Amino acid sequence: MWVGLQSHSLPVGVKTFIKITGLTHIYNQGQPGERRALSGVDLTIKKGEYLAVVGPNGSGKSTLARHFNALLLPTSGQVLVDGLDTRNKEAIWEIRRRVGMVFQNPDNQIVSSLVEEDIAFGPENLGLPPEEIRDRVKAALEQTGLTRFRRHAPQLLSSGQKQRLAIAGVLAMHPDCLVLDEPTAMLDPAGRKELLATLDALNKTGITIVLVTHFMEEAARAGRILVLADGKSILTGTPGQVFAQAEILEELDLTLPAPAQIARGLKRRGFFMPGPIIHQEALIEAALAIAGGSVSADKGEVALITSGGRSEPASASHPGAAPTQEYVIKAANLSHTYAPGTPFEVASLKDVSLEVYRGDFLAVVGATGSGKSTLVQHFNGLLQPTAGQVTVCGLDVTGKEARRNLWRKLG
Ligand SMILES: Nc1ncnc2c1ncn2[C@@H]1O[C@H](COP(=O)(O)OP(=O)(O)OP(=O)(O)O)[C@@H](O)[C@H]1O
Ligand SMILES: [Mg+2]
């Protein structure tokens, strides 16, 4: 089955950058362990596009990615990069300069003992003059937010920073396209967030991005998603179009992003959902319409959605809450910072305020790494606020004694 949905959002007339026709890849052909990884894949990627490639394990994502810069060559079919055929030996270096690859494990991509030397490695191999190399290194450091680490040893960087260093090394080659094969798989939420923001920014400068990912939340950021299954392209379209095919994705064990899942559940229960819901903000809007105002969100970091149908708003951001109602949980200007004062410092919650009343049903939604678990762990006293206050069943959860009492009351 192949479902070709209305194509991506780039205007017609934009130049084709990669054109793949009938691509089949067979590993170990004619030998023991022969394995067909791709079967007749057709794909066109336009200049400046942001394409996400998703699919179950073994569906051929990495194999396809390696064809984009001639690390693998077709068993049959054709891959053209900016008009250059990957089977043309003379074109290979030009293709690899135009399409840079970033892999899953950042440790395997480091070649030097100093950040700026690592970035300079590629341009040096191109034999560029020293001033040109210096300019490129400087620009790549800025584009990836690593300028202040330029004299650091790469081994001492966090995984997220190392991955941005790998991107900087590729950027210094002035590529037209970045292909990233599960670049966030080994990163913590903060590193993941920074890396994805870097990709968004690079795409805005006109660089074509191909992101292979297991995370549907990440794929949702792309302009277009390609779904692979068993070496075939089975679905392609905008994130909204692809996530609307929930049955196909479910069959492949691909989970919809959390906001899309919640929206689907609400729709099934008869609630009106306007158009495709992919991002947290759209879900909040829709929930707000359903609940008639009982929704609160801290400044876009964590969104807290209370059940619809309550006569009184449940959120502290609505000063009209009935004074007679008894609240069970109250958070006032709650902030939480992990590992404060260390290089791993992450501000997970920032100034969150909310009230949950007796009998409330509260859903906490937010993207991966937005602080959902951190928030909830304050309600049962597992975490202590860095700033602000949390009261549960009338008990301030700061302090050992209060927490012991709390654990007797809470599930
Ligand atoms: N070097 C190789 N030699 C033989 N078979 C391989 C090789 N690399 C991959 N394969 C096989 O090709 C198929 C596609 O693999 P590929 O790594 O492209 O999938 P993937 O979608 O990237 O999977 P994952 O989600 O696990 O990264 C799989 O069946 C895999 O076992
Ligand atoms: Mg893979």
Side-chain angles (χ1 to χ4, degrees), residues 61-62 181-182:
K61 302 182 295 296
S62 298
D181 191 355
E182 307 215 25

Side-chain angles (χ1 to χ4, degrees), residues 223-283:
R224 182 160 64 117
I225 299 178
L226 167 72
V227 184
L228 285 184
D230 202 17
K232 297 188 188 78
S233 149
I234 59 152
L235 187 61
T236 176
T238 62
Q241 291 165 339
V242 166
F243 296 147
Q245 305 290 320
E247 284 78 19
I248 298 180
L249 300 178
E250 245 163 37
E251 250 174 60
L252 299 172
D253 264 338
L254 298 173
T255 332
L256 290 178
Q261 254 179 61
I262 295 171
R264 192 163 172 248
L266 289 170
K267 203 170 171 183
R268 271 214 207 111
R269 285 166 183 76
F271 290 105
F272 172 72
M273 286 289 127
I277 298 221
I278 301 155
H279 302 290
Q280 180 182 307
E281 293 71 26
L283 178 62

Side-chain angles (χ1 to χ4, degrees), residues 65-88:
R66 286 171 157 80
H67 276 277
F68 293 141
N69 76 343
L71 284 176
L72 287 176
L73 299 177
T75 306
S76 64
Q78 190 183 46
V79 178
L80 293 178
V81 177
D82 220 2
L84 301 168
D85 192 321
T86 56
R87 274 174 312 195
N88 174 3

